[in-house]
Amino acid sequence: MVSDAQMEFRALRGTEDVFGAAIQEWTLVEARARQVAHRFGYTEVRTPLIEEAQLFSRSVGDTTDIVQKEMYVFADRGGRSIALRPEGTASLVRAYVEHELFKTEGLVKWFSIGPMFRAERPQAGRRRQFHQLGVEAIGATHPLLDAELMALAMTLLQACEITNTRLCLNNVGCRQDRERSSAALRQQLTSHRAELCKDCQARLTRNVFRTLDCKRESCRRLVQRLHVTLTRCAECEQHHQAVLAALRAIGIACEEDATMVRGLDYYTKTVFELRHAVLGAQDALGAGGRYDNLVQDLGGPARGASGFALGLERLLLVRQTLRGKPAAASQEWNRHRHVAVLALDDATQQEAFCVVQQLRHAGIAATMDFAGRSLKAQLRSANKTGAPLAVLFGAQERAQGTVTLKIMTDGTQVEVPRAEVVRAIQARVGPS
Ligand code: HAM
């Protein structure tokens, strides 16, 4: 262990190292996410972690908190303004437009797993580097697609043994509706200007919608008191009703939340959040919605699109709270049941090393000790990690051209010729 005084480097605030039992939870959740996404017809995509900063100001919105306060932006060596991606939707739409998939694909159904970066104040469930599972369907305006995405999100949460998620839903209308709603809201809030926080006072003129997701309690209370309602044209209302009917038809309960607008500018029509009581103040496990103008805003043709993202740290937090701490790492590691190859003296180490390699080539998990520990200590570790077999190399074996196989479960030992060792082990344990 290094003492505090010596420790020069630590992970940055709001970032973390994942290992041991935690990494197994991560890989399990990611595997289930991939399984469920594939079942719904979504394929995986990976996009760069860095993008032109403008991509996000144009899509997420240059007056949003994400872009104004939270985005990590830096000038690269060529003086270009680069952002660490704060979210994934803009990148996926950029990729869709860049590769002109609208020419060849009717509907692109993509999912992506990876880190996002936001310079927020770290707290439980809020990190500066966090991970999202993002799911996006680009190329259709149908309301059933919104319901499919919500069904996917709920199925995935169930697959991760997360129960009691609340699905909250709204429809913020099309762009014209949003303009009408903004004008009405501006009028309503202007007479209460003094009660708004400084940011919201600025938002009144720049982007009044953003006052609806202000995190300050006083602004939230004011919005509640004023009974703000959003305008919806007939088509958007019809879309909303169709989404509600589809959810009912497949048995997914949802709650309508008439003032939910979400903190990103690209949304049109459907918006939703998946909330969980376990998370307390940061109760959104995930969120999403429709963004019918974004493809066009980023230089593509008019194509509808819809999607959502789950926060994986939050998902894991809820999973752990509901299920208890995951099993210890070493027990999980046992599943591979590594054969332990034990060199009993320096002279046999290289030979043991060769056998470890041969076993691995034969598809058998095998490990050896590199610390020069005693036979007793090595056997103790082999036991602890659940090794089915130990292979002992010592002076006596070397002299006889054999090795000793020790069956760990009952302690019995057999001598096998050196040349037969892989076959003998294969016969006992089979491939890992
Ligand atoms: P978002 O609401 O900004 O939406 O983020 C989605 C989820 O990411 C949140 O519900 C939360 O679980 C997680 N999350 C966000 N910020 C943090 C943080 N600092 N620490 C930990 N977890 C966090 C989006 O990003 C949209 N791109 C979602 C979307 C996809 N809409 C359409 N398609």
Side-chain angles (χ1 to χ4, degrees), residues 66 86-89 118 120 125-128 130 132 135-136 262 264 266-267 284-289 291 306-311 313-314:
I66 294 180
E87 63 103 51
T89 310
R118 296 183 192 174
E120 294 191 86
R126 199 204 271 164
R127 322 293 303 164
R128 289 184 173 164
F130 61 99
Q132 284 186 345
V135 184
E136 314 288 352
R262 310 256 311 107
L264 301 92
Y266 51 60
Y267 290 116
L285 257 176
Y291 47 94
S306 195
F308 73 88
L310 287 174
E313 279 79 2
R314 293 189 192 174

PDB file of all heavy atoms in Angstrom, residues 66 86-89 118 120 125-128 130 132 135-136 262 264 266-267 284-289 291 306-311 313-314, ligand 1:
ATOM      1  N   ILE A  66     -26.405  21.572 -20.241  1.00  0.00           N
ATOM      2  CA  ILE A  66     -25.383  20.617 -20.706  1.00  0.00           C
ATOM      3  C   ILE A  66     -24.320  21.350 -21.513  1.00  0.00           C
ATOM      4  O   ILE A  66     -23.118  21.187 -21.276  1.00  0.00           O
ATOM      5  CB  ILE A  66     -26.025  19.478 -21.552  1.00  0.00           C
ATOM      6  CG1 ILE A  66     -26.940  18.620 -20.671  1.00  0.00           C
ATOM      7  CG2 ILE A  66     -24.962  18.624 -22.229  1.00  0.00           C
ATOM      8  CD1 ILE A  66     -27.631  17.478 -21.387  1.00  0.00           C
ATOM      9  N   PRO A  86     -21.092  14.859 -24.365  1.00  0.00           N
ATOM     10  CA  PRO A  86     -21.877  14.851 -23.129  1.00  0.00           C
ATOM     11  C   PRO A  86     -23.077  13.912 -23.231  1.00  0.00           C
ATOM     12  O   PRO A  86     -23.727  13.606 -22.233  1.00  0.00           O
ATOM     13  CB  PRO A  86     -22.363  16.305 -23.022  1.00  0.00           C
ATOM     14  CG  PRO A  86     -22.444  16.783 -24.437  1.00  0.00           C
ATOM     15  CD  PRO A  86     -21.404  16.033 -25.216  1.00  0.00           C
ATOM     16  N   GLU A  87     -23.392  13.462 -24.431  1.00  0.00           N
ATOM     17  CA  GLU A  87     -24.511  12.542 -24.665  1.00  0.00           C
ATOM     18  C   GLU A  87     -24.292  11.886 -26.022  1.00  0.00           C
ATOM     19  O   GLU A  87     -23.368  12.279 -26.757  1.00  0.00           O
ATOM     20  CB  GLU A  87     -25.841  13.294 -24.608  1.00  0.00           C
ATOM     21  CG  GLU A  87     -26.022  14.362 -25.663  1.00  0.00           C
ATOM     22  CD  GLU A  87     -26.934  13.942 -26.803  1.00  0.00           C
ATOM     23  OE1 GLU A  87     -28.026  13.477 -26.506  1.00  0.00           O
ATOM     24  OE2 GLU A  87     -26.526  14.054 -27.981  1.00  0.00           O
ATOM     25  N   GLY A  88     -25.116  10.890 -26.355  1.00  0.00           N
ATOM     26  CA  GLY A  88     -24.822  10.097 -27.545  1.00  0.00           C
ATOM     27  C   GLY A  88     -25.679  10.354 -28.768  1.00  0.00           C
ATOM     28  O   GLY A  88     -25.281  10.040 -29.890  1.00  0.00           O
ATOM     29  N   THR A  89     -26.867  10.928 -28.564  1.00  0.00           N
ATOM     30  CA  THR A  89     -27.813  11.045 -29.681  1.00  0.00           C
ATOM     31  C   THR A  89     -27.226  11.852 -30.847  1.00  0.00           C
ATOM     32  O   THR A  89     -27.320  11.445 -32.002  1.00  0.00           O
ATOM     33  CB  THR A  89     -29.119  11.699 -29.186  1.00  0.00           C
ATOM     34  OG1 THR A  89     -29.534  11.001 -28.020  1.00  0.00           O
ATOM     35  CG2 THR A  89     -30.208  11.639 -30.234  1.00  0.00           C
ATOM     36  N   ARG A 118     -19.746  14.988 -18.385  1.00  0.00           N
ATOM     37  CA  ARG A 118     -20.398  16.251 -18.036  1.00  0.00           C
ATOM     38  C   ARG A 118     -19.756  16.781 -16.762  1.00  0.00           C
ATOM     39  O   ARG A 118     -19.636  16.041 -15.767  1.00  0.00           O
ATOM     40  CB  ARG A 118     -21.914  16.066 -17.802  1.00  0.00           C
ATOM     41  CG  ARG A 118     -22.650  15.615 -19.045  1.00  0.00           C
ATOM     42  CD  ARG A 118     -24.153  15.517 -18.820  1.00  0.00           C
ATOM     43  NE  ARG A 118     -24.778  14.809 -19.931  1.00  0.00           N
ATOM     44  CZ  ARG A 118     -26.056  14.464 -19.989  1.00  0.00           C
ATOM     45  NH1 ARG A 118     -26.881  14.780 -18.989  1.00  0.00           N
ATOM     46  NH2 ARG A 118     -26.541  13.821 -21.044  1.00  0.00           N
ATOM     47  N   GLU A 120     -20.417  18.052 -13.972  1.00  0.00           N
ATOM     48  CA  GLU A 120     -21.438  18.333 -12.964  1.00  0.00           C
ATOM     49  C   GLU A 120     -20.829  18.153 -11.585  1.00  0.00           C
ATOM     50  O   GLU A 120     -19.763  17.553 -11.435  1.00  0.00           O
ATOM     51  CB  GLU A 120     -22.595  17.357 -13.125  1.00  0.00           C
ATOM     52  CG  GLU A 120     -23.349  17.536 -14.414  1.00  0.00           C
ATOM     53  CD  GLU A 120     -24.645  16.755 -14.424  1.00  0.00           C
ATOM     54  OE1 GLU A 120     -25.650  17.282 -13.932  1.00  0.00           O
ATOM     55  OE2 GLU A 120     -24.644  15.617 -14.914  1.00  0.00           O
ATOM     56  N   GLY A 125     -24.923   8.825  -7.861  1.00  0.00           N
ATOM     57  CA  GLY A 125     -25.627   8.718  -9.149  1.00  0.00           C
ATOM     58  C   GLY A 125     -25.328   9.854 -10.099  1.00  0.00           C
ATOM     59  O   GLY A 125     -25.990   9.985 -11.129  1.00  0.00           O
ATOM     60  N   ARG A 126     -24.364  10.709  -9.763  1.00  0.00           N
ATOM     61  CA  ARG A 126     -23.999  11.768 -10.695  1.00  0.00           C
ATOM     62  C   ARG A 126     -22.482  11.854 -10.803  1.00  0.00           C
ATOM     63  O   ARG A 126     -21.807  12.174  -9.822  1.00  0.00           O
ATOM     64  CB  ARG A 126     -24.585  13.102 -10.246  1.00  0.00           C
ATOM     65  CG  ARG A 126     -24.629  14.094 -11.409  1.00  0.00           C
ATOM     66  CD  ARG A 126     -24.644  15.487 -10.926  1.00  0.00           C
ATOM     67  NE  ARG A 126     -25.984  16.006 -10.693  1.00  0.00           N
ATOM     68  CZ  ARG A 126     -26.207  17.110  -9.975  1.00  0.00           C
ATOM     69  NH1 ARG A 126     -25.203  17.761  -9.421  1.00  0.00           N
ATOM     70  NH2 ARG A 126     -27.428  17.531  -9.800  1.00  0.00           N
ATOM     71  N   ARG A 127     -21.961  11.499 -11.941  1.00  0.00           N
ATOM     72  CA  ARG A 127     -20.525  11.452 -12.157  1.00  0.00           C
ATOM     73  C   ARG A 127     -20.141  12.417 -13.264  1.00  0.00           C
ATOM     74  O   ARG A 127     -20.987  12.867 -14.041  1.00  0.00           O
ATOM     75  CB  ARG A 127     -20.072  10.035 -12.569  1.00  0.00           C
ATOM     76  CG  ARG A 127     -20.750   8.895 -11.894  1.00  0.00           C
ATOM     77  CD  ARG A 127     -20.448   8.806 -10.446  1.00  0.00           C
ATOM     78  NE  ARG A 127     -19.018   8.693 -10.157  1.00  0.00           N
ATOM     79  CZ  ARG A 127     -18.499   8.905  -8.955  1.00  0.00           C
ATOM     80  NH1 ARG A 127     -19.258   9.247  -7.938  1.00  0.00           N
ATOM     81  NH2 ARG A 127     -17.211   8.775  -8.772  1.00  0.00           N
ATOM     82  N   ARG A 128     -18.841  12.685 -13.367  1.00  0.00           N
ATOM     83  CA  ARG A 128     -18.374  13.509 -14.488  1.00  0.00           C
ATOM     84  C   ARG A 128     -18.090  12.648 -15.705  1.00  0.00           C
ATOM     85  O   ARG A 128     -18.277  13.075 -16.820  1.00  0.00           O
ATOM     86  CB  ARG A 128     -17.145  14.307 -14.061  1.00  0.00           C
ATOM     87  CG  ARG A 128     -17.563  15.376 -13.082  1.00  0.00           C
ATOM     88  CD  ARG A 128     -16.441  16.278 -12.663  1.00  0.00           C
ATOM     89  NE  ARG A 128     -16.993  17.346 -11.854  1.00  0.00           N
ATOM     90  CZ  ARG A 128     -16.280  18.135 -11.075  1.00  0.00           C
ATOM     91  NH1 ARG A 128     -14.976  17.980 -10.999  1.00  0.00           N
ATOM     92  NH2 ARG A 128     -16.863  19.072 -10.387  1.00  0.00           N
ATOM     93  N   PHE A 130     -19.635   9.243 -16.935  1.00  0.00           N
ATOM     94  CA  PHE A 130     -20.639   8.221 -16.639  1.00  0.00           C
ATOM     95  C   PHE A 130     -20.908   7.464 -17.934  1.00  0.00           C
ATOM     96  O   PHE A 130     -20.395   7.839 -18.989  1.00  0.00           O
ATOM     97  CB  PHE A 130     -21.913   8.866 -16.080  1.00  0.00           C
ATOM     98  CG  PHE A 130     -22.567   9.831 -17.033  1.00  0.00           C
ATOM     99  CD1 PHE A 130     -23.646   9.445 -17.816  1.00  0.00           C
ATOM    100  CD2 PHE A 130     -22.090  11.131 -17.166  1.00  0.00           C
ATOM    101  CE1 PHE A 130     -24.238  10.336 -18.708  1.00  0.00           C
ATOM    102  CE2 PHE A 130     -22.679  12.020 -18.065  1.00  0.00           C
ATOM    103  CZ  PHE A 130     -23.747  11.626 -18.836  1.00  0.00           C
ATOM    104  N   GLN A 132     -23.621   5.474 -20.614  1.00  0.00           N
ATOM    105  CA  GLN A 132     -25.009   5.334 -21.053  1.00  0.00           C
ATOM    106  C   GLN A 132     -25.145   4.138 -21.983  1.00  0.00           C
ATOM    107  O   GLN A 132     -24.236   3.838 -22.753  1.00  0.00           O
ATOM    108  CB  GLN A 132     -25.447   6.575 -21.840  1.00  0.00           C
ATOM    109  CG  GLN A 132     -25.742   7.794 -21.001  1.00  0.00           C
ATOM    110  CD  GLN A 132     -26.310   8.938 -21.835  1.00  0.00           C
ATOM    111  OE1 GLN A 132     -26.236   8.938 -23.061  1.00  0.00           O
ATOM    112  NE2 GLN A 132     -26.883   9.918 -21.169  1.00  0.00           N
ATOM    113  N   VAL A 135     -30.134   4.079 -27.096  1.00  0.00           N
ATOM    114  CA  VAL A 135     -30.853   3.321 -28.122  1.00  0.00           C
ATOM    115  C   VAL A 135     -31.566   4.323 -29.020  1.00  0.00           C
ATOM    116  O   VAL A 135     -32.306   5.182 -28.525  1.00  0.00           O
ATOM    117  CB  VAL A 135     -31.884   2.364 -27.465  1.00  0.00           C
ATOM    118  CG1 VAL A 135     -32.570   1.513 -28.525  1.00  0.00           C
ATOM    119  CG2 VAL A 135     -31.211   1.471 -26.428  1.00  0.00           C
ATOM    120  N   GLU A 136     -31.322   4.256 -30.319  1.00  0.00           N
ATOM    121  CA  GLU A 136     -31.896   5.254 -31.220  1.00  0.00           C
ATOM    122  C   GLU A 136     -32.493   4.561 -32.440  1.00  0.00           C
ATOM    123  O   GLU A 136     -31.866   3.649 -32.999  1.00  0.00           O
ATOM    124  CB  GLU A 136     -30.828   6.255 -31.707  1.00  0.00           C
ATOM    125  CG  GLU A 136     -29.894   6.812 -30.643  1.00  0.00           C
ATOM    126  CD  GLU A 136     -30.538   7.807 -29.678  1.00  0.00           C
ATOM    127  OE1 GLU A 136     -31.703   8.223 -29.898  1.00  0.00           O
ATOM    128  OE2 GLU A 136     -29.875   8.162 -28.682  1.00  0.00           O
ATOM    129  N   ARG A 262     -37.757  17.949 -20.426  1.00  0.00           N
ATOM    130  CA  ARG A 262     -36.404  17.393 -20.566  1.00  0.00           C
ATOM    131  C   ARG A 262     -35.392  18.462 -20.929  1.00  0.00           C
ATOM    132  O   ARG A 262     -35.702  19.418 -21.611  1.00  0.00           O
ATOM    133  CB  ARG A 262     -36.375  16.251 -21.582  1.00  0.00           C
ATOM    134  CG  ARG A 262     -37.449  15.190 -21.372  1.00  0.00           C
ATOM    135  CD  ARG A 262     -36.938  13.945 -20.770  1.00  0.00           C
ATOM    136  NE  ARG A 262     -35.755  13.458 -21.441  1.00  0.00           N
ATOM    137  CZ  ARG A 262     -34.534  13.520 -20.918  1.00  0.00           C
ATOM    138  NH1 ARG A 262     -34.353  13.984 -19.715  1.00  0.00           N
ATOM    139  NH2 ARG A 262     -33.501  13.075 -21.571  1.00  0.00           N
ATOM    140  N   LEU A 264     -32.927  18.881 -22.925  1.00  0.00           N
ATOM    141  CA  LEU A 264     -32.235  18.968 -24.219  1.00  0.00           C
ATOM    142  C   LEU A 264     -33.217  19.550 -25.234  1.00  0.00           C
ATOM    143  O   LEU A 264     -34.406  19.232 -25.205  1.00  0.00           O
ATOM    144  CB  LEU A 264     -31.763  17.582 -24.675  1.00  0.00           C
ATOM    145  CG  LEU A 264     -30.791  16.848 -23.732  1.00  0.00           C
ATOM    146  CD1 LEU A 264     -31.525  15.948 -22.767  1.00  0.00           C
ATOM    147  CD2 LEU A 264     -29.787  16.016 -24.513  1.00  0.00           C
ATOM    148  N   TYR A 266     -33.565  19.175 -28.517  1.00  0.00           N
ATOM    149  CA  TYR A 266     -33.983  18.540 -29.772  1.00  0.00           C
ATOM    150  C   TYR A 266     -35.313  17.800 -29.720  1.00  0.00           C
ATOM    151  O   TYR A 266     -35.807  17.335 -30.733  1.00  0.00           O
ATOM    152  CB  TYR A 266     -32.884  17.629 -30.338  1.00  0.00           C
ATOM    153  CG  TYR A 266     -32.257  16.600 -29.401  1.00  0.00           C
ATOM    154  CD1 TYR A 266     -32.999  15.607 -28.773  1.00  0.00           C
ATOM    155  CD2 TYR A 266     -30.873  16.614 -29.192  1.00  0.00           C
ATOM    156  CE1 TYR A 266     -32.403  14.661 -27.965  1.00  0.00           C
ATOM    157  CE2 TYR A 266     -30.262  15.667 -28.381  1.00  0.00           C
ATOM    158  CZ  TYR A 266     -31.026  14.693 -27.772  1.00  0.00           C
ATOM    159  OH  TYR A 266     -30.437  13.750 -26.966  1.00  0.00           O
ATOM    160  N   TYR A 267     -35.905  17.686 -28.546  1.00  0.00           N
ATOM    161  CA  TYR A 267     -37.127  16.873 -28.459  1.00  0.00           C
ATOM    162  C   TYR A 267     -38.338  17.502 -29.135  1.00  0.00           C
ATOM    163  O   TYR A 267     -38.550  18.715 -29.065  1.00  0.00           O
ATOM    164  CB  TYR A 267     -37.467  16.574 -27.003  1.00  0.00           C
ATOM    165  CG  TYR A 267     -36.482  15.621 -26.360  1.00  0.00           C
ATOM    166  CD1 TYR A 267     -35.694  16.023 -25.295  1.00  0.00           C
ATOM    167  CD2 TYR A 267     -36.320  14.333 -26.847  1.00  0.00           C
ATOM    168  CE1 TYR A 267     -34.777  15.162 -24.717  1.00  0.00           C
ATOM    169  CE2 TYR A 267     -35.397  13.462 -26.281  1.00  0.00           C
ATOM    170  CZ  TYR A 267     -34.640  13.883 -25.224  1.00  0.00           C
ATOM    171  OH  TYR A 267     -33.726  13.026 -24.669  1.00  0.00           O
ATOM    172  N   ALA A 284     -33.734   9.846 -12.155  1.00  0.00           N
ATOM    173  CA  ALA A 284     -33.879   9.364 -13.536  1.00  0.00           C
ATOM    174  C   ALA A 284     -32.856   8.275 -13.854  1.00  0.00           C
ATOM    175  O   ALA A 284     -31.666   8.512 -13.909  1.00  0.00           O
ATOM    176  CB  ALA A 284     -33.742  10.515 -14.518  1.00  0.00           C
ATOM    177  N   LEU A 285     -33.397   7.070 -14.021  1.00  0.00           N
ATOM    178  CA  LEU A 285     -32.573   5.933 -14.454  1.00  0.00           C
ATOM    179  C   LEU A 285     -32.238   6.073 -15.923  1.00  0.00           C
ATOM    180  O   LEU A 285     -31.222   5.595 -16.394  1.00  0.00           O
ATOM    181  CB  LEU A 285     -33.421   4.671 -14.331  1.00  0.00           C
ATOM    182  CG  LEU A 285     -33.222   3.720 -13.202  1.00  0.00           C
ATOM    183  CD1 LEU A 285     -34.259   2.626 -13.265  1.00  0.00           C
ATOM    184  CD2 LEU A 285     -31.832   3.121 -13.262  1.00  0.00           C
ATOM    185  N   GLY A 286     -33.152   6.721 -16.615  1.00  0.00           N
ATOM    186  CA  GLY A 286     -32.966   6.890 -18.044  1.00  0.00           C
ATOM    187  C   GLY A 286     -34.027   7.824 -18.573  1.00  0.00           C
ATOM    188  O   GLY A 286     -34.969   8.170 -17.852  1.00  0.00           O
ATOM    189  N   ALA A 287     -33.843   8.251 -19.823  1.00  0.00           N
ATOM    190  CA  ALA A 287     -34.793   9.197 -20.384  1.00  0.00           C
ATOM    191  C   ALA A 287     -34.624   9.240 -21.893  1.00  0.00           C
ATOM    192  O   ALA A 287     -33.603   8.823 -22.435  1.00  0.00           O
ATOM    193  CB  ALA A 287     -34.531  10.584 -19.801  1.00  0.00           C
ATOM    194  N   GLY A 288     -35.644   9.758 -22.536  1.00  0.00           N
ATOM    195  CA  GLY A 288     -35.535   9.847 -23.983  1.00  0.00           C
ATOM    196  C   GLY A 288     -36.735  10.531 -24.592  1.00  0.00           C
ATOM    197  O   GLY A 288     -37.492  11.219 -23.902  1.00  0.00           O
ATOM    198  N   GLY A 289     -36.891  10.327 -25.882  1.00  0.00           N
ATOM    199  CA  GLY A 289     -38.011  10.935 -26.576  1.00  0.00           C
ATOM    200  C   GLY A 289     -37.756  11.017 -28.061  1.00  0.00           C
ATOM    201  O   GLY A 289     -36.741  10.526 -28.568  1.00  0.00           O
ATOM    202  N   TYR A 291     -37.221  13.007 -31.644  1.00  0.00           N
ATOM    203  CA  TYR A 291     -36.499  14.208 -32.103  1.00  0.00           C
ATOM    204  C   TYR A 291     -36.601  14.279 -33.627  1.00  0.00           C
ATOM    205  O   TYR A 291     -35.660  14.014 -34.349  1.00  0.00           O
ATOM    206  CB  TYR A 291     -35.054  14.213 -31.585  1.00  0.00           C
ATOM    207  CG  TYR A 291     -34.299  12.898 -31.749  1.00  0.00           C
ATOM    208  CD1 TYR A 291     -33.493  12.674 -32.856  1.00  0.00           C
ATOM    209  CD2 TYR A 291     -34.410  11.876 -30.808  1.00  0.00           C
ATOM    210  CE1 TYR A 291     -32.813  11.476 -33.028  1.00  0.00           C
ATOM    211  CE2 TYR A 291     -33.740  10.672 -30.968  1.00  0.00           C
ATOM    212  CZ  TYR A 291     -32.943  10.480 -32.077  1.00  0.00           C
ATOM    213  OH  TYR A 291     -32.277   9.289 -32.242  1.00  0.00           O
ATOM    214  N   SER A 306     -36.386   8.648 -32.841  1.00  0.00           N
ATOM    215  CA  SER A 306     -36.785   8.545 -31.439  1.00  0.00           C
ATOM    216  C   SER A 306     -35.755   7.690 -30.719  1.00  0.00           C
ATOM    217  O   SER A 306     -35.109   6.842 -31.351  1.00  0.00           O
ATOM    218  CB  SER A 306     -38.170   7.879 -31.392  1.00  0.00           C
ATOM    219  OG  SER A 306     -38.772   8.047 -30.141  1.00  0.00           O
ATOM    220  N   GLY A 307     -35.587   7.910 -29.421  1.00  0.00           N
ATOM    221  CA  GLY A 307     -34.598   7.106 -28.701  1.00  0.00           C
ATOM    222  C   GLY A 307     -34.606   7.382 -27.215  1.00  0.00           C
ATOM    223  O   GLY A 307     -35.422   8.170 -26.705  1.00  0.00           O
ATOM    224  N   PHE A 308     -33.698   6.731 -26.527  1.00  0.00           N
ATOM    225  CA  PHE A 308     -33.557   6.969 -25.081  1.00  0.00           C
ATOM    226  C   PHE A 308     -32.162   6.552 -24.648  1.00  0.00           C
ATOM    227  O   PHE A 308     -31.430   5.896 -25.408  1.00  0.00           O
ATOM    228  CB  PHE A 308     -34.609   6.185 -24.280  1.00  0.00           C
ATOM    229  CG  PHE A 308     -34.359   4.707 -24.224  1.00  0.00           C
ATOM    230  CD1 PHE A 308     -33.563   4.143 -23.222  1.00  0.00           C
ATOM    231  CD2 PHE A 308     -34.891   3.861 -25.185  1.00  0.00           C
ATOM    232  CE1 PHE A 308     -33.312   2.781 -23.179  1.00  0.00           C
ATOM    233  CE2 PHE A 308     -34.645   2.488 -25.160  1.00  0.00           C
ATOM    234  CZ  PHE A 308     -33.860   1.950 -24.151  1.00  0.00           C
ATOM    235  N   ALA A 309     -31.791   6.949 -23.449  1.00  0.00           N
ATOM    236  CA  ALA A 309     -30.527   6.480 -22.877  1.00  0.00           C
ATOM    237  C   ALA A 309     -30.741   6.133 -21.414  1.00  0.00           C
ATOM    238  O   ALA A 309     -31.451   6.849 -20.693  1.00  0.00           O
ATOM    239  CB  ALA A 309     -29.450   7.553 -23.009  1.00  0.00           C
ATOM    240  N   LEU A 310     -30.145   5.018 -21.013  1.00  0.00           N
ATOM    241  CA  LEU A 310     -30.163   4.624 -19.594  1.00  0.00           C
ATOM    242  C   LEU A 310     -28.805   4.968 -19.005  1.00  0.00           C
ATOM    243  O   LEU A 310     -27.770   4.740 -19.649  1.00  0.00           O
ATOM    244  CB  LEU A 310     -30.381   3.123 -19.460  1.00  0.00           C
ATOM    245  CG  LEU A 310     -31.767   2.576 -19.743  1.00  0.00           C
ATOM    246  CD1 LEU A 310     -31.745   1.054 -19.690  1.00  0.00           C
ATOM    247  CD2 LEU A 310     -32.774   3.095 -18.727  1.00  0.00           C
ATOM    248  N   GLY A 311     -28.792   5.505 -17.799  1.00  0.00           N
ATOM    249  CA  GLY A 311     -27.538   5.781 -17.104  1.00  0.00           C
ATOM    250  C   GLY A 311     -27.090   4.500 -16.412  1.00  0.00           C
ATOM    251  O   GLY A 311     -27.776   4.012 -15.505  1.00  0.00           O
ATOM    252  N   GLU A 313     -24.474   3.779 -14.406  1.00  0.00           N
ATOM    253  CA  GLU A 313     -24.099   3.869 -12.986  1.00  0.00           C
ATOM    254  C   GLU A 313     -25.370   3.825 -12.128  1.00  0.00           C
ATOM    255  O   GLU A 313     -25.412   3.148 -11.103  1.00  0.00           O
ATOM    256  CB  GLU A 313     -23.344   5.167 -12.684  1.00  0.00           C
ATOM    257  CG  GLU A 313     -21.876   5.156 -13.037  1.00  0.00           C
ATOM    258  CD  GLU A 313     -21.606   5.357 -14.517  1.00  0.00           C
ATOM    259  OE1 GLU A 313     -22.589   5.550 -15.271  1.00  0.00           O
ATOM    260  OE2 GLU A 313     -20.439   5.313 -14.925  1.00  0.00           O
ATOM    261  N   ARG A 314     -26.387   4.560 -12.581  1.00  0.00           N
ATOM    262  CA  ARG A 314     -27.638   4.597 -11.804  1.00  0.00           C
ATOM    263  C   ARG A 314     -28.323   3.242 -11.834  1.00  0.00           C
ATOM    264  O   ARG A 314     -28.862   2.784 -10.828  1.00  0.00           O
ATOM    265  CB  ARG A 314     -28.559   5.688 -12.349  1.00  0.00           C
ATOM    266  CG  ARG A 314     -27.972   7.054 -12.092  1.00  0.00           C
ATOM    267  CD  ARG A 314     -28.932   8.159 -12.402  1.00  0.00           C
ATOM    268  NE  ARG A 314     -28.193   9.428 -12.400  1.00  0.00           N
ATOM    269  CZ  ARG A 314     -28.706  10.579 -12.753  1.00  0.00           C
ATOM    270  NH1 ARG A 314     -29.970  10.654 -13.132  1.00  0.00           N
ATOM    271  NH2 ARG A 314     -27.974  11.681 -12.720  1.00  0.00           N
TER     272      ARG A 314
HETATM  273  P1  HAM B   1     -30.189  12.633 -20.413  1.00  0.00           P
HETATM  274  O1  HAM B   1     -31.468  12.744 -19.680  1.00  0.00           O
HETATM  275  O2  HAM B   1     -29.318  13.826 -20.416  1.00  0.00           O
HETATM  276  O3  HAM B   1     -30.579  12.226 -21.905  1.00  0.00           O
HETATM  277  O4  HAM B   1     -29.363  11.401 -19.876  1.00  0.00           O
HETATM  278  C1  HAM B   1     -29.917  10.099 -19.851  1.00  0.00           C
HETATM  279  C2  HAM B   1     -29.550   9.391 -18.568  1.00  0.00           C
HETATM  280  O5  HAM B   1     -28.138   9.411 -18.368  1.00  0.00           O
HETATM  281  C3  HAM B   1     -30.097  10.044 -17.306  1.00  0.00           C
HETATM  282  O6  HAM B   1     -31.430   9.680 -17.091  1.00  0.00           O
HETATM  283  C4  HAM B   1     -29.172   9.481 -16.241  1.00  0.00           C
HETATM  284  O7  HAM B   1     -29.558   8.167 -15.886  1.00  0.00           O
HETATM  285  C5  HAM B   1     -27.855   9.396 -16.982  1.00  0.00           C
HETATM  286  N1  HAM B   1     -27.016  10.548 -16.614  1.00  0.00           N
HETATM  287  C6  HAM B   1     -27.051  11.798 -17.103  1.00  0.00           C
HETATM  288  N2  HAM B   1     -26.126  12.578 -16.529  1.00  0.00           N
HETATM  289  C7  HAM B   1     -25.462  11.797 -15.645  1.00  0.00           C
HETATM  290  C8  HAM B   1     -24.365  12.000 -14.741  1.00  0.00           C
HETATM  291  N3  HAM B   1     -23.727  13.153 -14.634  1.00  0.00           N
HETATM  292  N4  HAM B   1     -23.962  10.956 -13.982  1.00  0.00           N
HETATM  293  C9  HAM B   1     -24.568   9.752 -14.074  1.00  0.00           C
HETATM  294  N5  HAM B   1     -25.595   9.503 -14.922  1.00  0.00           N
HETATM  295  C10 HAM B   1     -26.037  10.507 -15.700  1.00  0.00           C
HETATM  296  C11 HAM B   1     -29.661  12.040 -22.895  1.00  0.00           C
HETATM  297  O8  HAM B   1     -28.475  11.998 -22.752  1.00  0.00           O
HETATM  298  C12 HAM B   1     -30.322  11.796 -24.246  1.00  0.00           C
HETATM  299  N6  HAM B   1     -29.273  11.616 -25.242  1.00  0.00           N
HETATM  300  C13 HAM B   1     -31.252  10.610 -24.192  1.00  0.00           C
HETATM  301  C14 HAM B   1     -31.868  10.319 -25.524  1.00  0.00           C
HETATM  302  C15 HAM B   1     -31.494   9.384 -26.403  1.00  0.00           C
HETATM  303  N7  HAM B   1     -32.897  10.965 -26.047  1.00  0.00           N
HETATM  304  C16 HAM B   1     -33.161  10.482 -27.236  1.00  0.00           C
HETATM  305  N8  HAM B   1     -32.309   9.510 -27.479  1.00  0.00           N
END
